[in-house]
Amino acid sequence: MHERLAASTNDAAARQMHQAMASEFRRRAEQMRGDDLPPPPSAPVLEVYPALR
């Protein structure tokens, strides 16, 4: 969103602010990808059995 706003404005200060906000959102998303995710389960979460007839 902020990339589009930065590209669509002629106001240099607004463009710089939107570029900075886009950069910060990307940084936070990248940080969350590695830090806040719980470890994967060690056993299957769902086991599928054949239908009984």
Side-chain angles (χ1 to χ4, degrees):
M1 176 181 87
H2 287 286
E3 291 92 353
R4 283 185 309 190
L5 291 169
S8 67
T9 186
N10 292 330
D11 182 352
R15 185 171 40 255
Q16 183 179 11
M17 183 266 308
H18 285 300
Q19 288 170 340
M21 290 182 76
S23 176
E24 180 64 15
F25 278 110
R26 282 190 300 272
R27 185 191 68 77
R28 287 183 186 183
E30 189 64 36
Q31 182 182 18
M32 286 180 63
R33 244 181 241 132
D35 294 346
D36 295 339
L37 295 177
S42 58
V45 175
L46 175 67
E47 293 184 15
V48 179
Y49 295 96
L52 300 175
R53 293 183 183 209

